[in-house]
């Protein structure tokens, strides 16, 4: 089964999807930009070498242009394939994360609300914070093994981190509310409203 906005591989009978998390479009663009920057650096390097070795300049320049084009093409394919397969589902029972390990394989990780105990949110930098894009980390029960509070950016093997999330703080608060409701008022999960990534007052 293909993962879509209305269903995913491994979805349980009667399991409701409350929100589908996909990478913020600008983050995808920046990943592509890195691939193109690497390709441009290769081309420039070969051109500089060609200037130093004038007798082989045409050959060196051709190799540089070809290599740069291949790097740009492969980088584009990898980034697009990776971002298309990177998706997470917040449901009324658990958090499900599909994370590609390469262009051919995708890992599926799940964390039930029974095992989730804490939510942390943080932006990678100031620009992302202004754009309201950041990371949401859902800590598993096994993470909290000592009285010491885990750092927001600390992610263990049992935790799940959602990166490049739009309205990351609001989603973190929403998941926090899920944890409280699921554990304290489980019957209300049947009517729990879906998350809407919009400003407060515009979510109905």
């Amino acid at each position: 089964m293909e993962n879509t906005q209305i269903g995913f591989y491994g979805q349980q009978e009667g399991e409701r999807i409350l929100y589908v998390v996909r990478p913020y479009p600008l983050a995808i663009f920046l990943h592509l930009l890195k691939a193109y920057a690497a390709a441009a650096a290769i081309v420039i390097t070969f051109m500089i070498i060609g200037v130093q070795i004038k007798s082989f300049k045409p050959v060196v320049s051709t190799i540089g242009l070809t290599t740069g084009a291949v790097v740009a093409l492969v980088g584009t394919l990898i980034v697009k394939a990776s971002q298309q397969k990177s998706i997470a589902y917040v449901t009324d029972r658990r958090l499900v994360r599909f994370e590609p390990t390469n262009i051919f394989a995708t890992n599926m990780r799940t964390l039930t609300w029974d095992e989730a105990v804490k939510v942390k949110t943080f932006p990678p930098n100031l620009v992302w914070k202004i754009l309201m894009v950041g990371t949401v980390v859902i800590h598993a029960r096994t993470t909290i093994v000592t009285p010491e509070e885990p750092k927001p950016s600390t992610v263990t093997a049992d935790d799940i981190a959602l990166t490049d999330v739009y309205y990351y703080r609001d989603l973190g608060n929403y998941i926090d509310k899920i944890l409280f409701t699921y554990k304290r008022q489980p019957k209300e999960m049947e009517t729990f409203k879906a998350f809407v990534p919009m400003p407060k007052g515009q979510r109905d």
Side-chain angles (χ1 to χ4, degrees):
M1 177 181 177
E2 185 179 351
N3 297 324
T4 66
Q5 289 291 120
I6 58 174
F8 60 90
Y9 176 79
Q11 185 174 2
Q12 300 170 356
E13 184 176 354
E15 185 174 14
R16 288 194 307 125
I17 297 175
L18 300 176
Y19 186 56
V20 180
V21 186
R22 289 186 180 274
Y24 189 59
L26 182 57
I28 299 175
F29 171 76
L30 290 178
H31 286 303
L32 286 172
L33 201 59
K34 290 178 182 178
Y36 299 150
I42 291 173
V43 172
I44 292 172
T45 300
F46 272 86
M47 285 185 172
I48 293 174
I49 294 173
V51 171
Q52 301 297 323
I53 311 175
K54 293 182 179 180
S55 58
F56 291 97
K57 184 177 179 180
V59 176
V60 173
S61 297
T62 301
I63 293 175
L65 289 171
T66 302
T67 305
V70 170
V71 169
L73 177 60
V74 173
T76 299
L77 294 175
I78 291 175
V79 169
K80 287 191 173 182
S82 175
Q83 298 303 315
Q84 287 176 353
K85 293 179 181 180
S86 180
I87 187 171
Y89 295 87
V90 179
T91 79
D92 58 344
R93 300 178 185 176
R94 55 184 174 156
L95 176 65
V96 183
R97 167 99 162 116
F98 292 91
E99 186 173 9
T101 53
N102 53 57
I103 59 175
F104 304 107
T106 302
N107 286 340
M108 174 183 176
R109 297 186 58 205
T110 65
L111 181 63
T112 64
W113 300 133
D114 274 332
E115 292 300 318
V117 294
K118 195 177 291 290
V119 181
K120 295 287 184 179
T121 63
F122 60 93
N125 53 58
L126 181 59
V127 175
W128 250 209
K129 182 177 181 179
I130 294 173
L131 294 173
M132 296 180 291
V133 179
T135 300
V136 180
V137 179
I138 297 84
H139 292 289
R141 188 186 307 279
T142 51
T143 303
I144 317 299
V145 294
T146 67
E148 184 178 345
E149 186 81 2
K151 295 180 179 179
S153 58
T154 301
V155 182
T156 69
D158 295 328
D159 300 336
I160 293 183
L162 307 176
T163 57
D164 301 327
V165 178
Y166 190 42
Y167 279 95
Y168 69 101
R169 282 185 176 177
D170 296 67
L171 181 60
N173 291 333
Y174 178 81
I175 294 176
D176 219 17
K177 185 178 179 181
I178 286 179
L179 296 181
F180 176 84
T181 305
Y182 187 89
K183 295 173 181 180
R184 302 291 182 86
Q185 301 167 337
K187 290 185 178 180
E188 292 190 13
M189 288 301 300
E190 297 177 5
T191 57
F192 208 86
K193 292 184 179 180
F195 176 73
V196 180
M198 294 183 68
K200 293 180 180 178
Q202 301 180 28
R203 298 178 180 176
D204 294 331

